[in-house]
Amino acid sequence: MKRGKYGLDAPVVVIGYISGGILFSILGIILYSKESWMINLGIIFLIIGLYMTYGSKIGKYKMRKKIIQKLSIKGNEIALDVGCGRGLMLNGVASKLNSGKAYGIDIWNANDQSGNNYDAVMQNAKIEGTESKIKVINSDMRKMPFQDGYFDIIVSSLAIHNLKNNDERKKALLEIARVAKKGCKLAILDLAHIKYYEGILSSQGFEIEHIDKFQIQIFPPVKVLYAEKR
């Protein structure tokens, strides 16, 4: 399977770390006798920036493969990617479908991912050969345009934490619970608030099967929550 082009996650942050790393390193070298701490700080910033770049270019593909394997997709499911971005998880799930269909929703914020838009999703679908298996909709995750109990599989990657507070995250999680049918398999990858997600989902009839903690393929390290609606 060919890999699409899924951009740089949190591009402003990555550029900030790398630029800061270069700047502090140069200043530290120039002022070495008095400001050697700048070299150390510059190296730390560079390591973080490069680590984040690795996560965007390599690590998240490894996470996609791992999550899809754990979902044990049969091929006839109706799937949803909540906050699909440029389509990494959407196209990964769709690649395992034959008679099924994968839907992606997003409002595409460029601060979350470079080159983040609908056209990028469809271009990546073309590269990965999933165009006929997906449908992409401009929609807020807090108010989804789907009927109750519609999906067999729901995934979300690095999306829900972007909502501004737990009240807004709760709205998204309640929508996920609403559109999930009984037996729906759920996987949420995120870098924060997983414990909060667990509580909300448990109250909505999901059985939390497992939480993969401290997944270092992406920086900051992420967690993945796996659940099934009973």
Side-chain angles (χ1 to χ4, degrees):
M1 179 180 176
K2 293 183 179 180
R3 289 182 175 182
K5 299 176 181 179
Y6 293 104
L8 190 65
D9 297 324
V12 174
V13 177
V14 174
I15 292 169
Y17 272 120
I18 292 177
S19 299
I22 293 170
L23 177 62
F24 278 113
S25 295
I26 292 172
L27 288 174
I29 292 169
I30 294 172
L31 304 171
Y32 182 76
S33 60
K34 295 182 179 180
E35 306 293 346
S36 60
W37 63 269
M38 286 187 175
I39 296 177
N40 295 329
L41 184 59
I43 291 171
I44 291 171
F45 278 10
L46 281 171
I47 289 172
I48 293 173
L50 292 173
Y51 190 174
M52 293 180 74
T53 302
Y54 165 84
S56 292
K57 300 301 182 181
I58 298 173
K60 64 185 182 184
Y61 291 100
K62 294 183 177 181
M63 289 302 307
R64 173 170 79 166
K65 182 178 179 180
K66 183 177 181 180
I67 290 170
I68 290 173
Q69 285 177 340
K70 287 198 173 186
L71 289 172
S72 300
I73 298 171
K74 297 175 182 177
N76 61 346
E77 296 94 339
I78 304 299
L80 171 67
D81 184 358
V82 177
C84 64
R86 295 181 66 163
L88 177 73
M89 289 302 302
L90 174 66
N91 289 316
V93 170
S95 71
K96 300 298 181 181
L97 300 176
N98 39 61
S99 60
K101 191 83 172 179
Y103 292 78
I105 62 167
D106 210 317
I107 55 174
W108 292 289
N109 186 340
N111 290 326
D112 300 333
Q113 191 178 68
S114 61
N116 200 17
N117 55 55
Y118 172 88
D119 291 338
V121 182
M122 300 312 299
Q123 180 61 32
N124 284 327
K126 184 176 181 179
I127 292 170
E128 299 200 11
T130 61
E131 282 180 288
S132 64
K133 302 177 184 179
I134 70 168
K135 183 175 178 62
V136 183
I137 301 170
N138 188 327
S139 173
D140 193 308
M141 67 179 75
R142 292 163 291 187
K143 191 175 181 181
M144 301 186 201
F146 305 113
Q147 65 190 46
D148 296 357
Y150 190 65
F151 293 102
D152 304 290
I153 293 173
I154 298 177
V155 296
S156 182
S157 177
L158 296 173
I160 300 174
H161 78 274
N162 288 314
L163 296 173
K164 64 182 179 180
N165 56 48
N166 277 344
D167 287 341
E168 297 305 308
R169 295 180 194 109
K170 182 177 181 179
K171 291 177 183 177
L173 293 165
L174 291 177
E175 276 292 271
I176 287 173
R178 179 184 68 79
V179 301
K181 65 172 59 172
K182 288 185 178 180
C184 175
K185 295 179 181 180
L186 171 67
I188 298 177
L189 180 153
D190 221 330
L191 50 81
H193 314 297
I194 288 290
K195 195 67 180 177
Y196 180 74
Y197 303 166
E198 179 182 6
I200 299 298
L201 292 168
S202 295
S203 73
Q204 297 300 307
F206 280 89
E207 180 179 332
I208 309 301
E209 297 180 333
H210 184 65
I211 296 177
D212 280 346
K213 300 179 180 179
F214 203 68
Q215 301 297 294
I216 62 173
Q217 292 92 336
I218 297 172
F219 186 87
V222 296
K223 297 179 181 179
V224 187
L225 178 152
Y226 297 93
E228 183 172 338
K229 190 173 183 181
R230 301 300 189 186

